[in-house]
Amino acid sequence: MDASELQPVEQFLAAHSPFDSLPDEVISRCAKTITVGYYSKASAFVEFDKDNPKLYIVRSGAFEVRDPEGVLVDRVAEGECFGFSTLLSGEKVVNKVAILEDGLVYHLPQSLFAQLRAEHRSFDQFFTRAFAKRLRNEGRFKAKDLTTTSRITSIMCSKPIVIQAHASVNDAAKLMREYRVSSVLVIDNHKLVGILTDRDLRNRVIAEGLGVNTLVSQAMTVNPITTHANALVFETMLTMSEHNIHHLPVVEGSQAIGMITSTDILRAQRSQPLLLIGEIGRQANIDSLIQVSKQIPLLLQNLISADARAEEIGRVLTSVTDALTRRLIELNQQMLGKAPMAFCWLAFGSQGRQDQVACSDQDNGLLLAHEPDEFAAAYFDTLTKAVCKGLDQCGYVYCPGDIMAQNPKWRLPLNQWKALFKHWVLEPEPKALMHASIFFDMRPVFGPMSLFSELQDEVLASTKDNDIFLAGMAGNSLTESPPLGFFRKFVLERDGSEVKGMDLKHKGSALINDIARVYALSAGIKEVNTAKRIRALMDANIINRKDALNLADAHEFIAHMRLANQGYQVTHNVPVNNFLKPQHLSSLLRHQLRDAFKVVHDAQAGIKLKFLRSF
């Protein structure tokens, strides 16, 4: 674009949130980087470039965001955005965007979006809140935790302190002191007409030099924002955040039936995922970040107690780990300065698959854009050691196998990562593959997606239909088997004279992870999460629908039993591990667990038949 074309773009951005909070020179840089797309209603839906996600800023026209089932998530018009969910979560595009009216849309590249978030707090907060709202609309967190299924009636004050509109502010202040509250509801003829808070008294009475006989009606906030008794706690949090308020009357018709404050919510929900992730992002130093991380065990216990799905728990906990990792990188870069080249922080294993639970250690690496010189090598050595140390201090212990970015062996430029995977694929020695399998469950946590995609694309191209490599992977996945013996009795492991029980991780969940990984690599599927891999394999008819659904159910059930058992161990003050004793289960649960293990056994037989029949 030339200067005459850039000016309207700059003016438009400067007039709409969150760009209106950016400096003029940054808006100018955005305008120079933006591309323009025209979307016709005749096309019905926006076509997304899945390999090149971007932020879509509506210049004109109207659009609807719908989930895969067609449920309306959001309506977007001039000055509003879509596409940010993918940019924030790193997940592929699943929603559809319908074109309601012909329109022009500005495209902001992913790299600039990430840079703006890192450099401008107001920009980052805007999209973090928008993403939180989108999560609510999409119903992403369906677990029975406080943020999603609890109504505010469970935590609100059901006997709010009220005062008449014609009373004096002096009376109101005495009432607030007597009941030790920071606000009172104002009524007139039994109807709610306003709210008077500490802030109102400061700003509208004391600061204005008004007397103590000033009427409450002159100082109150008129027609306050309210909520209803059936509102979810999660919705209430968003309402308070969006309007920057700390007191919310609860009404039924025109009658005030309660009051809820931000203190009530924080007291009840301090360890809820969105709050915790937001708190992580606000920490200005590593010591405070370590303190915040101490809430993570409580978060896990709350999710287990709420009987959340294992898949959802894994995704929530991993989202917290990702947020911690990113903040550690950001804080250390503030001290070290800008990185000398582009890089990706890679997560492997359980963090890569987004299925973390208790007792997670670190499995990570660093992908560099190109070969580092002496200065760059020293920079990344310092950065990775600091981040890994920070993760250890936050409860993610150092990897016993030293698979961490601080190890130069796993801190490599793109060409060396490619060569390493090529070696594993073309020379699949069983022992080497067993240790390398963790690397095939990789996901970027920080850095440009394009850099990671170049590596992943080459890896999947080399594994797809590679019979020798897949046979090696399949063979490794069969070295362990589910703990079922003759007559489908459980096989228990012993530690000396003590019966340890069944290892639900290594003899259950890990086996399903292995099975899904082999199939996914054989088909070039990019999904890393095991449940998503199974669904993708079913959709591609690589595993028939019945077997895929059985395997997905077995995966969820075994993981759920593992989490429930760990919850039991925590509440009974015993060491947390992956071993479950059958005597702790009802006959129904024992029967269901045997069925789940049988599904794993049959799936292992399936990959043996498919990938090892010629060997």
Side-chain angles (χ1 to χ4, degrees):
M1 296 183 190
D2 59 33
S4 62
E5 292 176 312
L6 285 175
Q7 187 177 8
V9 180
E10 292 175 357
Q11 291 174 342
F12 179 83
L13 294 177
H16 293 92
S17 295
F19 297 90
D20 59 357
S21 65
L22 301 177
D24 291 342
E25 64 269 19
V26 177
I27 293 177
S28 179
R29 177 153 53 97
C30 291
K32 292 175 182 176
T33 311
I34 274 172
T35 58
V36 184
Y38 173 75
Y39 295 86
S40 170
K41 184 178 179 181
S43 301
F45 293 96
V46 174
E47 286 191 17
F48 292 101
D49 181 355
K50 296 180 180 179
D51 297 323
N52 186 28
K54 54 183 74 74
L55 180 70
Y56 296 78
I57 309 159
V58 179
R59 179 66 179 83
S60 62
F63 302 79
E64 275 187 355
V65 182
R66 293 186 175 272
D67 70 12
E69 285 71 46
V71 176
L72 179 66
V73 173
D74 202 4
R75 289 191 175 93
V76 186
E78 180 178 333
E80 298 178 308
C81 305
F82 58 92
F84 55 84
S85 295
T86 296
L87 295 174
L88 291 170
S89 68
E91 299 176 357
K92 70 177 184 179
V93 177
V94 293
N95 289 338
K96 292 183 177 181
V97 177
I99 306 169
L100 303 182
E101 299 173 6
D102 293 355
L104 290 176
V105 177
Y106 294 149
H107 303 150
L108 188 76
Q110 179 185 25
S111 57
L112 183 54
F113 178 83
Q115 188 176 350
L116 293 175
R117 286 186 63 213
E119 296 176 354
H120 302 280
R121 184 173 176 82
S122 60
F123 187 93
D124 181 59
Q125 285 181 329
F126 177 90
F127 284 105
T128 300
R129 289 170 179 170
F131 186 46
K133 185 177 181 180
R134 181 66 57 81
L135 287 178
R136 177 196 66 190
N137 291 343
E138 291 179 347
R140 288 280 299 280
F141 288 91
K142 296 177 182 175
K144 288 182 259 183
D145 60 20
L146 189 58
T147 56
T148 55
T149 60
S150 290
R151 307 291 176 183
I152 59 169
T153 48
S154 65
I155 60 173
M156 75 177 189
C157 171
S158 58
K159 294 181 179 180
I161 308 304
V162 299
I163 194 167
Q164 297 292 328
H166 54 75
S168 70
V169 294
N170 187 47
D171 292 335
K174 289 179 179 178
L175 197 62
M176 293 163 70
R177 182 182 63 182
E178 179 185 352
Y179 288 96
R180 297 182 180 181
V181 294
S182 56
S183 65
V184 290
L185 298 182
V186 184
I187 60 173
D188 186 16
N189 196 25
H190 304 294
K191 293 183 179 180
L192 178 70
V193 294
I195 183 172
L196 185 71
T197 68
D198 281 341
R199 185 163 59 180
D200 293 330
L201 290 174
R202 289 195 306 270
N203 296 342
R204 296 174 181 168
V205 179
I206 298 173
E208 295 296 328
L210 300 180
V212 294
N213 292 322
T214 301
L215 296 182
V216 167
S217 59
Q218 294 176 271
M220 70 183 184
T221 297
V222 181
N223 298 323
I225 295 167
T226 63
T227 188
H228 54 87
N230 287 327
L232 299 176
V233 173
F234 186 69
E235 293 175 311
T236 305
M237 289 167 55
L238 289 173
T239 299
M240 289 182 168
S241 175
E242 289 165 4
H243 296 281
N244 192 28
I245 57 177
H246 303 285
H247 306 82
L248 201 60
V250 183
V251 299
E252 192 172 273
S254 60
Q255 304 288 316
I257 62 170
M259 169 71 88
I260 189 163
T261 69
S262 55
T263 303
D264 296 327
I265 293 176
L266 288 173
R267 187 184 298 117
Q269 292 188 273
R270 188 166 178 81
S271 64
Q272 289 303 312
L274 285 177
L275 281 176
L276 184 52
I277 290 172
E279 198 170 350
I280 287 169
R282 289 190 294 273
Q283 300 313 302
N285 58 71
I286 294 172
D287 287 340
S288 63
L289 199 61
I290 293 168
Q291 289 301 312
V292 170
S293 71
K294 293 178 180 179
Q295 300 175 34
I296 296 173
L298 178 59
L299 168 62
L300 173 59
Q301 192 60 27
N302 285 346
L303 291 170
I304 293 172
S305 300
D307 201 29
R309 284 176 52 82
E311 181 184 355
E312 292 166 349
I313 292 176
R315 290 172 66 84
V316 168
L317 292 181
T318 306
S319 295
V320 173
T321 307
D322 289 353
L324 269 173
T325 304
R326 285 192 287 266
R327 193 61 185 147
L328 281 167
I329 293 171
E330 292 164 355
L331 290 173
N332 280 286
Q333 283 197 297
Q334 288 175 12
M335 294 183 283
L336 295 173
K338 184 179 179 182
M341 70 177 77
F343 69 93
C344 263
W345 186 278
L346 302 178
F348 303 120
S350 61
Q351 187 182 359
R353 292 189 303 272
Q354 296 178 292
D355 64 6
Q356 286 189 305
V357 291
C359 312
S360 292
D361 59 3
Q362 295 183 47
D363 291 307
N364 49 57
L366 204 71
L367 167 61
L368 304 175
H370 52 78
E371 191 76 35
D373 57 20
E374 186 176 346
F375 171 78
Y379 176 95
F380 287 116
D381 181 66
T382 303
L383 176 67
T384 54
K385 285 179 179 176
V387 174
C388 289
K389 179 182 178 181
L391 287 171
D392 178 66
Q393 292 173 313
C394 289
Y396 302 89
V397 298
Y398 288 121
C399 173
D402 206 17
I403 300 175
M404 292 178 289
Q406 68 176 17
N407 183 346
K409 187 176 180 181
W410 312 119
R411 187 172 67 242
L412 302 171
L414 177 61
N415 64 328
Q416 290 187 32
W417 274 112
K418 287 182 176 180
L420 190 59
F421 276 101
K422 184 177 181 180
H423 170 72
W424 287 329
V425 172
L426 297 183
E427 300 178 37
E429 301 171 4
K431 187 174 181 180
L433 271 188
M434 185 173 294
H435 294 296
S437 63
I438 187 176
F439 293 96
F440 289 92
D441 296 343
M442 62 175 173
R443 185 175 56 84
V445 172
F446 182 96
M449 185 68 185
S450 56
L451 184 59
F452 171 77
S453 295
E454 187 173 345
L455 174 61
Q456 187 185 43
D457 289 345
E458 183 157 321
V459 170
L460 292 177
S462 66
T463 63
K464 187 176 181 181
D465 299 324
N466 186 324
D467 292 344
I468 296 176
F469 165 76
L470 295 169
M473 291 289 285
N476 276 337
S477 71
L478 299 173
T479 56
E480 297 282 0
S481 58
L484 283 176
F486 291 110
F487 307 112
R488 298 183 69 188
K489 290 183 177 293
F490 294 121
V491 176
L492 305 182
E493 297 186 30
R494 293 180 177 272
D495 182 10
S497 60
E498 181 186 354
V499 177
K500 294 169 67 177
M502 297 174 288
D503 187 343
L504 294 181
K505 177 180 178 181
H506 297 99
K507 299 297 181 70
S509 297
L511 302 185
I512 302 176
N513 293 336
D514 290 343
I515 293 165
R517 182 188 305 115
V518 173
Y519 277 114
L521 293 174
S522 76
I525 289 172
K526 290 188 174 184
E527 295 288 5
V528 179
N529 175 266
T530 296
K532 289 185 175 182
R533 275 175 167 168
I534 294 171
R535 287 193 286 270
L537 292 164
M538 180 179 70
D539 293 340
N541 294 318
I542 294 166
I543 302 180
N544 70 59
R545 179 177 176 82
K546 179 182 177 182
D547 290 344
L549 292 176
N550 285 340
L551 191 60
D553 287 345
H555 179 250
E556 171 62 31
F557 184 77
I558 293 171
H560 185 86
M561 294 298 296
R562 178 186 172 199
L563 283 166
N565 186 51
Q566 290 182 341
Y568 172 88
Q569 291 167 339
V570 169
T571 56
H572 287 77
N573 295 314
V574 298
V576 177
N577 58 48
N578 296 304
F579 291 92
L580 172 67
K581 296 182 179 181
Q583 60 266 35
H584 292 166
L585 302 177
S586 68
S587 59
L588 176 60
L589 286 177
R590 286 198 295 271
H591 177 78
Q592 290 174 316
L593 191 56
R594 280 194 293 266
D595 285 347
F597 285 143
K598 179 63 166 55
V599 169
V600 179
H601 176 272
D602 292 345
Q604 284 190 318
I607 64 167
K608 181 177 181 180
L609 180 64
K610 182 174 177 62
F611 297 106
L612 293 174
R613 57 187 173 186
S614 301
F615 296 87

